[in-house]
Amino acid sequence: MVEDKGICVGEDWTDAGAKDPDTEADEAAMFGMMGLVGWDFTQPGQTVPGMRKLLTHIWNTYPTNPELASEWAIYQNYKN
Amino acid sequence: MTEELRKDIGGPSYHPNAAVVDGYVIKVKGRPSNQRCLIYFHGGAALAGTAEEHNYYCWRMAVDFDATIINVNYRLAPEHKVPCGIDDGYASVKWAIAKASELGIDPNRIATIGESGGGYIVGGVSMRLGERNEGGLIKFGFHLIPMVTNAILLKPDSELDEMGHMMKAMSKEIYEALGDYSALEAKNFNDKWTFTMCLDDDLCKKCPPAVVLTGEFDDCLIGAKETAEIYRRNNNLLVYGSQRGSHHGHYFNPKHCRTDAWQKAVTEICKKYL
């Protein structure tokens, strides 16, 4: 097997050393959601009860969350 | 698009520890039979999520890759411990091969693909195939942002930042759900069916080739790198990529600035090697 090094090349696949603004925004939203359910990771030894509930919540809200409606519409276009 | 719910995927006919599970067979309308096929394992840390919730991404894959997607509802922890999900995944591969004609797929153009917890399932299925000398049954295992490493559990709290504390806390909960945490700890977290990057070289050589894609700031980056390195040193790595500036699962967000480039690479890989 010869590794194909010709596909993941270029600017998109070169470490930047900094997060994209979109990444910052997505992660802020994620931490915001965790804060809403009472998770705090500023100190070690925290527990995370209800992980299934949180992960399920994230996925379940995708097609129904009004704030994500425009993103969802893009995927609907693939279905149709 | 056609989206058929199947309730007869896999089961003990294909692996003694597998259950018959349901899932979706997703096709683009009007495509010929004998299509290439990707068997998809959704994310959710192998303890959450459903196939149905991820059908939307499978629609995109079906169109972009010009392929049939089989989106499998493998069993989840904690009700079903390691390696139940892996064995369901293995059985789903064997089922797809056995039912290829009925499904309208080419049995010689099948691959697995999964993200995060589903990437862990991909790794486990590859090992099941490898240990049975069946690595050639699929073209490759596509490990997307795979959740496979023990690294965070082995790292002292004093070396962790806020994200590290979060990942360690989440990892503890995940692995307490997936298996017997005390037993895992006693073995220094090196159980390959739980942490698939722990596979040995002899087994790796017999696994299907690996494609590993991750992100520069992916929470699971270490495991992706470890997986790629094991497959690389055994001459069994097809493609590795780490996308600039991105985080875990960024590509589900169609507006993320790197999503198009990500999807372009994934599509090129699938069309070129499947």
Side-chain angles (χ1 to χ4, degrees):
Chain A
M1 174 65 54
V2 177
E3 183 178 349
D4 186 335
K5 296 185 177 180
I7 294 177
C8 296
V9 295
E11 184 263 352
D12 279 301
W13 299 95
T14 305
D15 281 0
K19 294 176 183 177
D20 286 325
D22 289 349
T23 292
E24 298 275 15
D26 283 356
E27 288 189 345
M30 181 183 71
F31 276 107
M33 180 183 290
M34 290 179 177
L36 287 175
V37 296
W39 290 10
D40 173 11
F41 296 104
T42 55
Q43 300 297 320
Q46 299 296 309
T47 59
V48 286
M51 174 163 294
R52 174 183 278 177
K53 187 176 178 184
L54 177 82
L55 291 169
T56 302
H57 174 73
I58 290 170
W59 292 118
N60 276 344
T61 56
Y62 203 110
T64 55
N65 185 341
E67 293 179 9
L68 300 174
S70 63
E71 293 178 15
W72 182 245
I74 292 170
Y75 284 111
Q76 279 291 342
N77 288 340
Y78 281 99
K79 187 179 185 184
N80 302 327
Chain B
M1 191 76 66
T2 62
E3 189 180 283
E4 181 191 7
L5 173 61
R6 297 286 301 231
K7 296 187 175 181
D8 61 338
I9 297 175
S13 301
Y14 301 99
H15 187 282
N17 189 45
V20 176
V21 296
D22 61 35
Y24 294 85
V25 177
I26 295 171
K27 291 174 170 288
V28 179
K29 279 180 188 168
R31 306 307 297 169
S33 59
N34 222 31
Q35 267 209 310
R36 58 167 74 97
C37 173
L38 283 146
I39 300 174
Y40 177 73
F41 305 112
H42 66 79
L47 59 78
T50 67
E52 185 175 16
E53 289 165 3
H54 291 73
N55 272 344
Y56 73 93
Y57 188 64
C58 294
W59 305 335
R60 177 168 193 171
M61 288 196 291
V63 172
D64 286 354
F65 307 164
D66 193 17
T68 294
I69 311 296
I70 300 176
N71 183 12
V72 180
N73 245 335
Y74 60 90
R75 288 174 295 169
L76 301 174
E79 292 85 355
H80 305 284
K81 300 287 188 181
V82 170
C84 289
I86 288 170
D87 292 335
D88 290 350
Y90 170 82
S92 70
V93 171
K94 300 285 284 192
W95 174 86
I97 293 168
K99 303 276 185 183
S101 178
E102 176 188 338
L103 294 167
I105 60 173
D106 182 344
N108 298 310
R109 298 171 78 199
I110 294 174
T112 57
I113 185 168
E115 94 278 346
S116 194
Y120 153 73
I121 299 293
V122 166
V125 169
S126 290
M127 290 195 296
R128 277 281 181 255
L129 290 164
E131 69 178 8
R132 286 162 170 71
N133 292 311
E134 296 175 337
L137 288 182
I138 64 172
K139 290 289 189 185
F140 53 80
F142 208 136
H143 311 236
L144 293 167
I145 55 171
M147 183 200 81
V148 295
T149 189
N150 56 11
I152 195 78
L153 293 167
L154 295 170
K155 206 165 187 178
D157 286 347
S158 58
E159 295 178 18
L160 300 173
D161 58 10
E162 183 176 356
M163 181 65 86
H165 290 312
M166 181 189 80
M167 291 307 297
K168 191 163 191 174
M170 292 175 85
S171 293
K172 278 186 171 177
E173 167 135 338
I174 289 167
Y175 292 110
E176 281 172 352
L178 264 60
D180 179 340
Y181 192 83
S182 297
L184 291 172
E185 194 168 28
K187 291 171 67 179
N188 211 26
F189 302 110
N190 68 352
D191 173 50
K192 69 175 181 286
W193 297 107
T194 308
F195 307 99
T196 56
M197 33 58 72
C198 291
L199 85 165
D200 60 60
D201 289 341
D202 288 342
L203 178 55
C204 186
K205 287 180 175 67
K206 295 193 283 186
C207 290
V211 178
V212 184
L213 292 194
T214 184
E216 184 182 0
F217 295 96
D218 190 319
D219 310 327
C220 298
L221 172 64
I222 295 171
K225 283 183 173 177
E226 291 169 333
T227 299
E229 188 47 43
I230 292 163
Y231 277 83
R232 181 179 285 126
R233 79 166 175 252
N234 286 289
N235 297 315
N236 208 7
L237 180 67
L238 194 53
V239 180
Y240 173 75
S242 173
Q243 195 167 45
R244 180 189 188 99
S246 63
H247 65 95
H248 194 67
H250 68 287
Y251 55 88
F252 286 116
N253 177 357
K255 293 182 176 175
H256 192 287
C257 60
R258 306 285 171 197
T259 294
D260 287 347
W262 176 278
Q263 202 63 18
K264 183 177 175 221
V266 175
T267 301
E268 184 176 350
I269 291 164
C270 288
K271 289 195 168 179
K272 188 171 180 182
Y273 292 106
L274 185 57

